[in-house]
Amino acid sequence: MATTKKITNVGGDDKTPQRTTFVPTAEAKAQAGKFRMYGILLWVLAIVAEIGAMVILFKKDPEIALSTGARVALIVILLIDLVLLVAGSSFWKKANRFDPASKQNVLGFFFQNQLGVVVAVIAFLPVVILAFIKKEYLVGAIAALFMVGGGAASADYNAPSKEQYSQQTSRVEELTGGNHVFWTKSGTKYHIYNDCPSINSNRTDEIFEGTVAKARELKNITELCKICEKRAEREKGIDQSQSTETQPETTTPDGDKGTGNQ
Ligand SMILES: [Zn+2]
């Protein structure tokens, strides 16, 4: 849903910024491509590790227990599988911050953001099944645990979308006439003013600045600081009588607020 607020051009640009779709810069696209490649490579290696574990299990006689050594080797291989999976997913999620999917394609949006979960199932479910067939219950249980844990770590709980980027960028443009925000290393919000009390404190020794998209790309910061927002509204002199009829800007359609950013 687009903003229902009146957009007033405060100068700077020749036209009121009317962004419909977010388009990543060529640089961001390239970065995303690189991260996706790393992600896929690590996922492939995870599946190779899985195949290794399956080869060991395949040769096993269901009625004869594995030696402790073989069992330990299997668990180590599964652990490597898990590490590769999660590392791959982390690259994949990073890539999506640079080049987010569009929400208009529901299925595409889901798969692009949650592909790591699908890979987690591919990288563990076959070995879980085989382990149980071969009566190697401990290994099977560990593999199942890794699948769930790896899947949980691979999911994107704060999936970025083109629409969200556009919306957030236009909000900042609406308030300031430009696309320029500030954030800190450990902060979870981006700010319009670099002297905002919440970033201009003794705790902060470094402030980053850039576009809204950059704050998302680099830190996955999804929220505009409320103090800055109020101040910008005040400075811009938004007519209160006009803005009272619209909701004061707290609606995120997918309710992805409240989950702490890490
Ligand atoms: Zn602020």
Side-chain angles (χ1 to χ4, degrees):
M1 192 176 67
T3 175
T4 50
K5 296 196 178 192
K6 176 175 171 287
I7 297 176
T8 310
N9 187 2
V10 293
D13 291 310
D14 48 344
K15 272 243 155 71
T16 301
Q18 273 297 354
R19 235 168 244 267
T20 41
T21 332
F22 169 81
V23 179
T25 61
E27 189 198 348
K29 241 355 251 179
Q31 193 70 265
K34 202 168 74 183
F35 284 151
R36 289 211 171 99
M37 203 181 67
Y38 294 158
I40 291 170
L41 191 72
L42 288 162
W43 283 342
V44 168
L45 290 174
I47 292 167
V48 169
E50 178 194 28
I51 292 168
M54 288 179 76
V55 167
I56 298 177
L57 280 170
F58 210 79
K59 290 184 189 153
K60 180 189 179 272
D61 183 331
E63 304 311 321
I64 302 165
L66 277 176
S67 68
T68 310
R71 208 168 269 167
V72 170
L74 261 177
I75 293 167
V76 169
I77 292 171
L78 290 175
L79 202 61
I80 293 168
D81 185 356
L82 179 67
V83 170
L84 290 166
L85 163 74
V86 174
S89 299
S90 137
F91 274 112
W92 187 261
K93 284 189 270 185
K94 243 189 191 129
N96 289 334
R97 311 266 171 259
F98 283 88
D99 182 17
S102 171
K103 270 192 171 154
Q104 276 165 0
N105 179 350
V106 177
L107 211 63
F109 181 76
F110 175 81
F111 273 105
Q112 182 171 329
N113 283 300
Q114 312 301 349
L115 191 59
V117 180
V118 178
V119 177
V121 173
I122 298 171
F124 282 103
L125 191 58
V127 83
V128 171
I129 294 168
L130 186 63
F132 279 97
I133 290 171
K134 295 286 185 172
K135 296 186 179 169
E136 195 54 46
Y137 300 117
L138 177 69
V139 172
I142 289 173
L145 199 72
F146 285 179
M147 176 171 72
V148 173
S154 296
D156 200 332
Y157 301 99
N158 203 352
S161 72
K162 279 189 163 55
E163 287 75 13
Q164 196 184 35
Y165 278 31
S166 312
Q167 192 196 331
Q168 290 172 339
T169 304
S170 4
R171 177 64 181 151
V172 169
E173 284 174 343
E174 176 197 359
L175 287 168
T176 68
N179 179 8
H180 196 85
V181 290
F182 302 92
W183 65 92
T184 60
K185 200 163 55 194
S186 52
T188 56
K189 294 184 172 72
Y190 51 81
H191 303 263
I192 291 172
Y193 304 99
N194 58 10
D195 61 347
C196 170
S198 54
I199 51 171
N200 192 28
S201 68
N202 295 334
R203 286 179 303 144
T204 311
D205 47 12
E206 194 179 8
I207 293 175
F208 300 90
E209 59 178 314
T211 60
V212 172
K214 271 270 174 274
R216 299 287 316 243
E217 287 168 10
L218 303 175
K219 273 272 304 160
N220 194 24
I221 299 176
T222 56
E223 243 185 291
L224 171 61
C225 163
K226 288 277 174 287
I227 302 170
C228 285
E229 192 177 16
K230 290 264 148 53
R231 182 174 153 193
E233 281 180 348
R234 215 165 38 233
E235 287 188 4
K236 194 168 164 271
I238 283 182
D239 195 334
Q240 287 307 312
S241 61
Q242 274 178 348
S243 53
T244 41
E245 55 193 299
T246 57
Q247 287 296 312
E249 170 65 27
T250 44
T251 42
T252 20
D254 34 45
D256 60 356
K257 58 201 203 84
T259 48
N261 292 335
Q262 286 155 14

